[in-house]
Structures are given as structure tokens and as C-alpha cells.
Amino acid sequence: MGRMDLEAIAARLRRHGVTPTSQRLKIASVLFSCMEHLSADQVMLAVNRRKPVASKATVYNTLNLFVKKGLIREVIIDPSKLLYDPRTDQHHHFYDIATGKLSDIDFSELPIHSLPALPHGTMLDGIDIVIRTRPATA
Amino acid sequence: MGRMDLEAIAARLRRHGVTPTSQRLKIASVLFSCMEHLSADQVMLAVNRRKPVASKATVYNTLNLFVKKGLIREVIIDPSKLLYDPRTDQHHHFYDIATGKLSDIDFSELPIHSLPALPHGTMLDGIDIVIRTRPATA
DNA sequence: TTCGTTGCAAACCCTTTGCACGCAC
DNA sequence: GTGCGTGCAAAGGGTTTGCAACGAA
């Protein structure tokens, strides 16, 4: 898991109105260099692997802050926990129901040709597509 | 909220390998006659509105049993709680992020023209599409 | 009798929160 | 000194589970 340049990450945080602290930098570094869909718990473990860096409260607070500031996105697929997605561009997901593994689908690979009429008084906010898969029967 | 004929519901349960008990019939009745997306808590309230009919444990156990037997489906959209969907046919959902309200989209209204290649060693299990909406700015 | 079903309460797990400490400006 | 950031521990809320009592065949 390569480590993105810390200065670049700090700039990214600032661009989103987030003051870069050492904990936030470490957490952002884990999210952006690993580029997988991590749970809060996995972030917690990765961040504190070598030495204690951030407490559980800080990890949760920071992840929520990042979401609010648009640095990452929540993924709601696993009913038992939230996952965090370092990609914020339009894309979708494969979800393996056996392994729980998530993988990305580029927006261009799954274009939506037409939308049904939205309910009265509402406007579009976004579209989430999850393609559930399971291990192929041998 | 009209009440579906109990005998028809009992038959439906039996067809799915579920022994119809009075609690299960009442829970199924709530789900199938109301035809909305209810949380376990809402089912609990609806079922026991007039007189105590089923305990919390029974409601949860029964909902899980129904899901396992294919009578209803879980909907994972609200990170704070599961919703249960009395429809089991292919369809999708609108989700109002402000009100939390879910509504159905018939499969025919949102056809998928082509799927991206599935990850190696996996097969399709299903597709879930959620169109997030928010109240239109007046 | 026997096995499946129910109910209560406690346990569980992820997430949030209250509050005091600490650091930066 | 003031305010934001952090950490610990406890609370919170939805869901699951252990176990005893119950009920239908």
C-alpha cells in the first residue's frame, strides 16, 4: 500500500475546508493510498498498525467529517456496518454476497439511458447501482 | 390498511415452507396488506397496535425467517435500520434523502440495457438500483 | 411426548456523545 | 487565552441470542 505524498493530501484536505492535522492526514493517507472500501474498524486498524495514532472516536469523527466535506463517500451495502469509498466520482459497485467484497464499476461501463419520472416535488440527488454477484458454481 | 384474507396468507406461508402460526400470520398480514417498506420497529408497532400479539424477539425472528424463505426482501438503504419489502419481484427504489421515504420503481420503467463484465469467478445474483431524490427547491 | 415457537432479558456490535485535556494561533 | 481537535469511557439504538415456558400434533 503505497503512501501518497503527505503534502498533496494536506492540500486536498484544505481544498475541502478541512484543517490537516496529523491524525486526519494519516487517516486520509490510508483511505487514498489503499483505494479500497474500508470500514471504520479497518481504518482504525490500518492507522494504528505501527503505533497508536488516533482513537476510535477520532476515526469516527474524522470519517464523518470527510463525508460531510465531500472527501469520501459512505457506502451502504453491508447491513452490519458502513463502508467508506475514497472515490467520489459517479461510479457503481459489484458486491459479492458470499465474500462481502466490493469492487468498482466505472460510470461509463454502466450508462443509464433513461430515468423514470421522479416523484412529484422531488429532484434527482444521485443514483446508486449495486450488482450483486456470487461465486460461480464450479 | 385492508386486511388480506388470512387463509390466502396461510397458503402463501406454507408454499414457502413456513408453518403458519398466529403471530406469523399477523406479521405477514401487516406486511402484505400495507405493501410499504417497514422497519422491524414499525412492524412491531403495527402488529401490537390493538393488543399484544408478538414480542420483539418474535418479530425479528419472523422477519428473518420470511427473508430466508423468500417471502420478503431486506432493503439496505438507511444505515440506521433495515427495511423489509413485501415485493420480491425485480424492482428498484426511489429514496428521498430528506424524508427517508422509499417508493417503488417497476422493473419495466428502468430497464438495464447492458451489464459490465462480471468479476472473474462470479455470477449474477441481482441488481439493486436506488435513485436518491430530495425535495425540489421551491 | 416431542419438537418447533414464543417471550423476556441480556448480550452484542457499530456508532455517537459528553466531557476534560491539550495544542495551535 | 480562545477555540478547535483529540481521547477515553459511557451511552445509544437496532438486532441477535440463551434459555425457559408454552402449545400443537
Side-chain angles (χ1 to χ4, degrees):
Chain A
M1 163 169 105
R3 184 88 152 287
M4 188 182 287
D5 177 53
L6 282 185
E7 198 44 58
I9 296 185
R12 192 155 163 180
L13 297 198
R14 281 192 214 94
R15 223 180 303 131
H16 286 263
V18 174
T19 307
T21 66
S22 69
Q23 284 87 346
R24 289 171 179 174
L25 280 172
K26 181 65 181 171
I27 291 170
S29 160
V30 163
L31 288 166
F32 293 132
S33 57
C34 155
M35 274 318 249
E36 279 187 22
H37 306 86
L38 303 176
S39 64
D41 197 55
Q42 290 173 311
V43 172
M44 178 81 184
L45 287 174
V47 155
N48 297 313
R49 182 205 291 270
R50 322 200 63 178
K51 60 171 75 114
V53 168
S55 70
K56 203 197 311 190
T58 296
V59 169
Y60 276 98
N61 288 338
T62 300
L63 289 171
N64 284 333
L65 177 69
F66 284 2
V67 168
K68 190 168 65 181
K69 296 297 191 176
L71 278 157
I72 59 178
R73 278 172 42 183
E74 280 180 350
V75 182
I76 307 170
I77 290 186
D78 181 331
S80 74
K81 58 180 168 301
L82 284 175
L83 297 181
Y84 294 91
D85 192 336
R87 282 182 62 172
T88 55
D89 63 316
Q90 258 265 25
H91 68 285
H92 305 297
H93 294 107
F94 289 116
Y95 178 64
D96 192 304
I97 61 172
T99 65
K101 200 110 185 79
L102 264 190
S103 46
D104 288 336
I105 305 171
D106 274 6
F107 179 63
S108 62
E109 287 187 75
L110 185 47
I112 291 117
H113 293 83
S114 66
L115 282 187
L118 303 183
H120 286 309
T122 69
M123 60 186 294
L124 183 64
D125 184 75
I127 301 175
D128 292 322
I129 303 182
V130 176
I131 301 185
R132 273 178 284 113
T133 63
R134 52 195 155 88
T137 50
Chain B
M1 165 168 101
R3 185 83 154 286
M4 188 184 287
D5 176 54
L6 283 185
E7 197 43 58
I9 295 184
R12 192 155 164 181
L13 297 196
R14 282 192 213 93
R15 222 181 302 130
H16 285 263
V18 174
T19 308
T21 66
S22 68
Q23 285 87 347
R24 289 171 180 173
L25 281 172
K26 180 64 182 171
I27 292 170
S29 161
V30 163
L31 289 166
F32 292 132
S33 58
C34 155
M35 273 319 248
E36 280 188 21
H37 307 87
L38 302 176
S39 64
D41 197 55
Q42 290 174 309
V43 172
M44 178 80 185
L45 287 173
V47 155
N48 297 313
R49 181 205 291 271
R50 321 201 62 179
K51 62 171 74 113
V53 168
S55 70
K56 203 197 311 191
T58 297
V59 169
Y60 275 98
N61 288 339
T62 299
L63 288 171
N64 283 334
L65 177 69
F66 284 3
V67 168
K68 190 169 64 182
K69 296 298 192 176
L71 278 156
I72 60 178
R73 278 171 43 181
E74 279 179 350
V75 182
I76 306 170
I77 290 187
D78 181 333
S80 75
K81 59 181 168 299
L82 284 174
L83 298 180
Y84 294 92
D85 192 335
R87 283 181 63 172
T88 54
D89 63 317
Q90 258 266 24
H91 68 284
H92 307 295
H93 294 107
F94 288 115
Y95 178 64
D96 192 304
I97 60 172
T99 65
K101 201 105 186 86
L102 263 191
S103 47
D104 289 336
I105 305 172
D106 276 6
F107 179 64
S108 61
E109 288 186 75
L110 186 48
I112 291 114
H113 294 83
S114 66
L115 281 187
L118 302 182
H120 287 307
T122 68
M123 60 186 295
L124 184 63
D125 184 76
I127 302 174
D128 291 321
I129 303 183
V130 176
I131 300 185
R132 273 177 285 114
T133 63
R134 53 196 154 90
T137 49

